[in-house]
Amino acid sequence: MLVAPLRGMAPTYPELHTEAGDARAHAGAPSAWAVLAVVGIGVFMCTLDTSIVNVSLPAIARHFGVPIGASFEWVVIAYLVVIAALLLTIGRLSDRIGRRPLWLAGLVIFTAGSALCGLAPSLGVLIGARVVQGVGGALLMAISPAMLTDAFPAAQRGRALGLNATIVALGVSAGPTLGGVLTEAASWRWIFYVNLPIGVAGVISSRLVLRPASAAPRRARFDVGGAIALGAALAALTAGLSVANAVGWGSPIVLGLLAASVITAAWFVVHERRHAAPLIERGLFRDPVFAWATVSLVLSFLAAFATSFLLPFYFEQLRGDAPARTGLLLTPFPIALAIVAPLSGQLADRIGTRGLAALGMAILCAGLVCLAFIDEHTATWGVIWRQLVAAVGMGMFQAPNNSAIMGAVASERKGVAAGMLATGRTMGQAISVAIAGAVFGALGGAAAGRGLLDRPHDPALSATFVHGFRAALLVCAAIAALGIASSLLRGGGRDGVPSRA
């Protein structure tokens, strides 16, 4: 499906693109569907790795003889911190030197990092190898939306970004099951080795499909100081949020990381105002479509991502389900998102993005409210249909909103717009877990869940768990309600079909 030609479409490619939203063909340009297939390989590999590792953490801890605690969690956190720190910088850099060299570098680095993870002789080496993986993942995730936006004409942009969301959902949903199978049948090392054939296929296909730039790269000054400051601020914020619920919000390490984030972010703002070629051009946020769609993006992940954090506790601690069954019961959300996102993107290409984004956020809000009122007596189907409602809302929102973000900028700024999109998603996910975990823990839900492992179905513990769970999801629903407003506030604008946006 991904490589089938699209009838009546004249594809372009990033370095051949002459006008944002214009789809005039150039001789020798690769098929847009071939570009989507190549991008899909890298995106699937990255998203698979974000979900495949968690299920194998107990096996990794046993192998190295270390307890699962704050230090061990850096197997996951190191990867996320590096990605968050680099996304915007890489997006900006791709506007300067082109997408192809950075994409190929990302595939090579990610594949090499995967091999190093699989060969790691100690926990320290494994964490270091995860940092290498994070660099490769950031290169791939930061520019993939820009590659698709440049390859497809504006009339097909929503559909392409919707299919990209489908690939993301498939990677996320396949990770837990594949990770469990590989860990049980072979070894935890194979959750990393599985990336090797995917990465090699990605490099070969990318070299065949993606052609070098036809024009000389832009040699404008690059804001190295701003890149370092922004990366440090985002890395410190992500690290602080990631460990806060485990070590306590008042711990010196969390307070230090959050303080460092604030200080470096303030220095970054001052530096950007003085720099001749700032990393983030202030003009981007003067466009209401770009500004409010970016806000909506962050709010959507703040609202939705907490479900993937809270529901495993609900299934395993409150209901007593086994991990394998929990994995299966979590798959309706990504599968429904994978089905809805491309359909919504295709519809957005015809009727505009604003109404679909607002409607999707409203459905997500309703789904979160419904999920908030499940308890230990709720039937399995009752949990599943509530997940489906939330997933339909997220899928309906995601592709149109991403299309609005990418369509609101000129071609020479699509890299930084793509980096902004990926950064907003990553930070939204990290903050979502932090908020949900803080509410759930503050109301006694986390402690009650641990107690239920020793005293299953204890009425008092169950009631406390449900109270914390419900409050956390209602906070997420309130955030989604703010997202409805932000989706409507952006008005029309240049989102691919301006007269109907």
Side-chain angles (χ1 to χ4, degrees):
M1 178 182 69
L2 295 180
V3 295
L6 182 64
R7 186 177 302 172
M9 185 181 71
T12 63
Y13 189 65
E15 283 75 5
L16 304 177
H17 203 75
T18 57
E19 194 72 29
D22 188 15
R24 293 183 179 86
H26 292 259
S31 163
W33 289 105
V35 174
L36 177 60
V38 165
V39 169
I41 293 173
V43 168
F44 179 82
M45 186 168 62
C46 285
T47 54
L48 179 72
D49 208 70
T50 60
S51 61
I52 199 173
V53 173
N54 291 347
V55 73
S56 300
L57 290 178
I60 296 173
R62 286 195 301 271
H63 177 87
F64 291 123
V66 296
I68 297 180
S71 60
F72 184 79
E73 289 171 1
W74 279 93
V75 174
V76 175
I77 295 171
Y79 180 76
L80 297 176
V81 166
V82 172
I83 287 178
L86 296 179
L87 286 171
L88 267 173
T89 297
I90 291 169
R92 183 65 166 175
L93 192 60
S94 77
D95 289 332
R96 295 290 185 262
I97 68 175
R99 325 279 191 229
R100 184 179 188 267
L102 293 177
W103 179 260
L104 286 169
L107 288 170
V108 171
I109 293 171
F110 192 93
T111 305
S114 298
L116 291 173
C117 287
L119 295 169
S122 67
L123 180 62
V125 174
L126 176 59
I127 292 173
R130 288 285 282 168
V131 170
V132 176
Q133 268 194 317
V135 174
L139 284 160
L140 298 174
M141 293 168 64
I143 61 176
S144 55
M147 292 176 67
L148 293 178
T149 303
D150 288 330
F152 282 81
Q156 302 293 338
R157 184 173 58 230
R159 184 181 184 190
L161 291 171
L163 287 170
N164 189 55
T166 294
I167 296 169
V168 170
L170 291 175
V172 170
S173 60
T177 302
L178 182 60
V181 170
L182 290 174
T183 301
E184 289 185 15
S187 160
W188 64 265
R189 298 184 184 276
W190 281 93
I191 68 172
F192 299 110
Y193 290 149
V194 73
N195 291 324
L196 303 188
I198 301 175
V200 170
V203 171
I204 294 172
S205 58
S206 294
R207 290 185 64 86
L208 292 174
V209 172
L210 309 182
R211 297 197 173 96
S214 60
R218 297 174 62 193
R219 298 297 180 185
R221 292 176 60 191
F222 183 74
D223 184 7
V224 176
I228 294 173
L230 179 64
L234 293 174
L237 177 61
T238 306
L241 294 174
S242 298
V243 302
N245 288 321
V247 303
W249 285 88
S251 68
I253 186 172
V254 172
L255 294 177
L257 286 167
L258 296 181
S261 176
V262 171
I263 292 169
T264 50
W267 186 88
F268 170 74
V269 172
V270 173
H271 173 82
E272 290 288 278
R273 290 182 178 276
R274 298 174 178 174
H275 200 276
L279 193 67
I280 303 175
E281 297 178 30
R282 291 185 294 276
L284 283 175
F285 290 96
R286 295 192 185 104
D287 186 317
V289 173
F290 181 86
W292 285 110
T294 302
V295 171
S296 300
L297 170 78
V298 176
L299 291 173
S300 72
F301 281 97
L302 280 174
F305 194 73
T307 59
S308 65
F309 167 72
L310 291 171
L311 283 175
F313 292 101
Y314 167 81
F315 286 125
E316 294 184 25
Q317 294 181 343
L318 185 65
R319 295 170 61 111
D321 290 328
R325 177 176 168 81
T326 296
L328 289 175
L329 291 174
L330 290 173
T331 56
F333 193 104
I335 290 175
L337 194 153
I339 294 171
V340 173
L343 299 176
S344 179
Q346 191 170 1
L347 185 59
D349 292 332
R350 300 179 60 186
I351 67 172
T353 66
R354 183 189 180 210
L356 281 174
L359 178 60
M361 196 70 87
I363 296 173
L364 171 62
C365 180
L368 291 171
V369 171
C370 291
L371 274 172
F373 286 92
I374 60 177
D375 57 28
E376 68 272 30
H377 304 298
T378 304
T380 299
W381 170 244
V383 181
I384 290 175
W385 75 254
R386 289 169 170 85
Q387 286 190 75
L388 292 176
V389 172
V392 167
M394 190 63 174
M396 184 176 292
F397 165 84
Q398 203 170 80
N401 194 74
N402 290 354
S403 181
I405 291 174
M406 298 305 300
V409 298
S411 58
E412 66 273 11
R413 293 179 174 178
K414 289 195 185 298
V416 73
M420 188 74 71
L421 192 156
T423 301
R425 178 178 63 242
T426 302
M427 298 311 301
Q429 291 172 340
I431 298 172
S432 178
V433 171
I435 292 174
V439 174
F440 184 58
L443 296 178
R450 291 191 294 270
L452 284 168
L453 295 176
D454 297 322
R455 289 181 287 165
H457 311 299
D458 181 285
L461 292 175
S462 296
T464 302
F465 181 100
V466 169
H467 177 62
F469 178 87
R470 181 167 298 165
L473 283 179
L474 287 176
V475 168
C476 292
I479 294 172
L482 293 176
I484 302 171
S486 64
S487 296
L488 294 172
L489 278 172
R490 65 179 171 84
R494 297 174 286 114
D495 68 351
V497 277
S499 64
R500 291 172 291 178

mmCIF file of all heavy atoms in Angstrom, residues 198-217:
data_model
loop_
_atom_site.group_PDB
_atom_site.id
_atom_site.type_symbol
_atom_site.label_atom_id
_atom_site.label_comp_id
_atom_site.label_asym_id
_atom_site.label_seq_id
_atom_site.Cartn_x
_atom_site.Cartn_y
_atom_site.Cartn_z
ATOM 1 N N ILE A 198 16.047 -4.330 10.259
ATOM 2 C CA ILE A 198 15.198 -3.193 9.897
ATOM 3 C C ILE A 198 16.066 -1.997 9.532
ATOM 4 O O ILE A 198 15.831 -1.307 8.528
ATOM 5 C CB ILE A 198 14.254 -2.825 11.057
ATOM 6 C CG1 ILE A 198 13.370 -4.011 11.439
ATOM 7 C CG2 ILE A 198 13.388 -1.631 10.675
ATOM 8 C CD1 ILE A 198 12.499 -3.765 12.660
ATOM 9 N N GLY A 199 17.096 -1.738 10.342
ATOM 10 C CA GLY A 199 17.977 -0.609 10.068
ATOM 11 C C GLY A 199 18.744 -0.760 8.773
ATOM 12 O O GLY A 199 18.880 0.202 8.004
ATOM 13 N N VAL A 200 19.256 -1.960 8.505
ATOM 14 C CA VAL A 200 19.991 -2.191 7.248
ATOM 15 C C VAL A 200 19.063 -1.991 6.053
ATOM 16 O O VAL A 200 19.431 -1.353 5.057
ATOM 17 C CB VAL A 200 20.600 -3.616 7.238
ATOM 18 C CG1 VAL A 200 21.151 -3.942 5.851
ATOM 19 C CG2 VAL A 200 21.703 -3.712 8.287
ATOM 20 N N ALA A 201 17.839 -2.513 6.144
ATOM 21 C CA ALA A 201 16.868 -2.314 5.063
ATOM 22 C C ALA A 201 16.570 -0.826 4.884
ATOM 23 O O ALA A 201 16.425 -0.339 3.752
ATOM 24 C CB ALA A 201 15.578 -3.071 5.376
ATOM 25 N N GLY A 202 16.502 -0.094 5.994
ATOM 26 C CA GLY A 202 16.242 1.335 5.908
ATOM 27 C C GLY A 202 17.357 2.085 5.215
ATOM 28 O O GLY A 202 17.112 2.976 4.396
ATOM 29 N N VAL A 203 18.611 1.753 5.529
ATOM 30 C CA VAL A 203 19.752 2.425 4.897
ATOM 31 C C VAL A 203 19.771 2.148 3.403
ATOM 32 O O VAL A 203 19.945 3.062 2.577
ATOM 33 C CB VAL A 203 21.076 1.973 5.556
ATOM 34 C CG1 VAL A 203 22.271 2.505 4.765
ATOM 35 C CG2 VAL A 203 21.152 2.459 6.995
ATOM 36 N N ILE A 204 19.598 0.877 3.029
ATOM 37 C CA ILE A 204 19.650 0.519 1.602
ATOM 38 C C ILE A 204 18.529 1.205 0.831
ATOM 39 O O ILE A 204 18.752 1.816 -0.220
ATOM 40 C CB ILE A 204 19.565 -1.012 1.442
ATOM 41 C CG1 ILE A 204 20.817 -1.679 2.032
ATOM 42 C CG2 ILE A 204 19.411 -1.381 -0.035
ATOM 43 C CD1 ILE A 204 20.734 -3.193 2.079
ATOM 44 N N SER A 205 17.309 1.127 1.344
ATOM 45 C CA SER A 205 16.175 1.727 0.637
ATOM 46 C C SER A 205 16.286 3.247 0.601
ATOM 47 O O SER A 205 15.916 3.885 -0.394
ATOM 48 C CB SER A 205 14.853 1.306 1.273
ATOM 49 O OG SER A 205 14.807 1.686 2.639
ATOM 50 N N SER A 206 16.811 3.852 1.653
ATOM 51 C CA SER A 206 16.961 5.302 1.670
ATOM 52 C C SER A 206 17.962 5.766 0.629
ATOM 53 O O SER A 206 17.762 6.784 -0.054
ATOM 54 C CB SER A 206 17.401 5.782 3.060
ATOM 55 O OG SER A 206 16.404 5.549 4.015
ATOM 56 N N ARG A 207 19.048 5.041 0.488
ATOM 57 C CA ARG A 207 20.050 5.414 -0.525
ATOM 58 C C ARG A 207 19.503 5.256 -1.939
ATOM 59 O O ARG A 207 19.883 5.988 -2.856
ATOM 60 C CB ARG A 207 21.314 4.584 -0.350
ATOM 61 C CG ARG A 207 22.102 4.929 0.910
ATOM 62 C CD ARG A 207 23.411 4.146 0.967
ATOM 63 N NE ARG A 207 24.293 4.515 -0.138
ATOM 64 C CZ ARG A 207 25.137 5.541 -0.130
ATOM 65 N NH1 ARG A 207 25.213 6.313 0.947
ATOM 66 N NH2 ARG A 207 25.914 5.785 -1.160
ATOM 67 N N LEU A 208 18.592 4.294 -2.116
ATOM 68 C CA LEU A 208 17.994 4.092 -3.435
ATOM 69 C C LEU A 208 16.921 5.126 -3.751
ATOM 70 O O LEU A 208 16.795 5.587 -4.893
ATOM 71 C CB LEU A 208 17.396 2.689 -3.521
ATOM 72 C CG LEU A 208 18.385 1.512 -3.519
ATOM 73 C CD1 LEU A 208 17.637 0.191 -3.455
ATOM 74 C CD2 LEU A 208 19.279 1.557 -4.759
ATOM 75 N N VAL A 209 16.146 5.501 -2.747
ATOM 76 C CA VAL A 209 14.980 6.352 -2.973
ATOM 77 C C VAL A 209 15.287 7.835 -2.822
ATOM 78 O O VAL A 209 14.871 8.654 -3.644
ATOM 79 C CB VAL A 209 13.843 5.950 -2.007
ATOM 80 C CG1 VAL A 209 12.692 6.951 -2.074
ATOM 81 C CG2 VAL A 209 13.342 4.549 -2.340
ATOM 82 N N LEU A 210 16.014 8.193 -1.773
ATOM 83 C CA LEU A 210 16.255 9.603 -1.475
ATOM 84 C C LEU A 210 17.469 10.093 -2.246
ATOM 85 O O LEU A 210 18.575 9.592 -2.038
ATOM 86 C CB LEU A 210 16.468 9.804 0.027
ATOM 87 C CG LEU A 210 15.410 9.189 0.950
ATOM 88 C CD1 LEU A 210 15.737 9.508 2.394
ATOM 89 C CD2 LEU A 210 14.023 9.703 0.591
ATOM 90 N N ARG A 211 17.258 11.065 -3.089
ATOM 91 C CA ARG A 211 18.358 11.581 -3.898
ATOM 92 C C ARG A 211 18.980 12.799 -3.230
ATOM 93 O O ARG A 211 18.309 13.534 -2.510
ATOM 94 C CB ARG A 211 17.857 11.933 -5.290
ATOM 95 C CG ARG A 211 17.342 10.695 -6.024
ATOM 96 C CD ARG A 211 17.220 10.924 -7.513
ATOM 97 N NE ARG A 211 16.882 9.663 -8.160
ATOM 98 C CZ ARG A 211 15.657 9.282 -8.469
ATOM 99 N NH1 ARG A 211 14.641 10.073 -8.181
ATOM 100 N NH2 ARG A 211 15.435 8.127 -9.051
ATOM 101 N N PRO A 212 20.271 13.038 -3.482
ATOM 102 C CA PRO A 212 20.927 14.214 -2.885
ATOM 103 C C PRO A 212 20.252 15.501 -3.329
ATOM 104 O O PRO A 212 19.537 15.555 -4.327
ATOM 105 C CB PRO A 212 22.365 14.124 -3.423
ATOM 106 C CG PRO A 212 22.548 12.693 -3.817
ATOM 107 C CD PRO A 212 21.203 12.231 -4.290
ATOM 108 N N ALA A 213 20.513 16.562 -2.573
ATOM 109 C CA ALA A 213 19.932 17.868 -2.884
ATOM 110 C C ALA A 213 20.357 18.321 -4.273
ATOM 111 O O ALA A 213 21.499 18.152 -4.675
ATOM 112 C CB ALA A 213 20.364 18.893 -1.839
ATOM 113 N N SER A 214 19.416 18.909 -5.010
ATOM 114 C CA SER A 214 19.727 19.416 -6.340
ATOM 115 C C SER A 214 20.319 20.809 -6.283
ATOM 116 O O SER A 214 20.858 21.295 -7.259
ATOM 117 C CB SER A 214 18.448 19.440 -7.191
ATOM 118 O OG SER A 214 17.481 20.276 -6.600
ATOM 119 N N ALA A 215 20.182 21.468 -5.129
ATOM 120 C CA ALA A 215 20.726 22.804 -4.961
ATOM 121 C C ALA A 215 21.685 22.799 -3.777
ATOM 122 O O ALA A 215 21.630 21.932 -2.909
ATOM 123 C CB ALA A 215 19.598 23.821 -4.712
ATOM 124 N N ALA A 216 22.584 23.761 -3.766
ATOM 125 C CA ALA A 216 23.551 23.849 -2.682
ATOM 126 C C ALA A 216 22.839 24.133 -1.368
ATOM 127 O O ALA A 216 21.886 24.906 -1.328
ATOM 128 C CB ALA A 216 24.556 24.961 -2.979
ATOM 129 N N PRO A 217 23.273 23.507 -0.290
ATOM 130 C CA PRO A 217 22.646 23.754 1.010
ATOM 131 C C PRO A 217 22.801 25.207 1.435
ATOM 132 O O PRO A 217 23.731 25.893 1.037
ATOM 133 C CB PRO A 217 23.418 22.822 1.963
ATOM 134 C CG PRO A 217 24.119 21.843 1.090
ATOM 135 C CD PRO A 217 24.368 22.546 -0.204
#
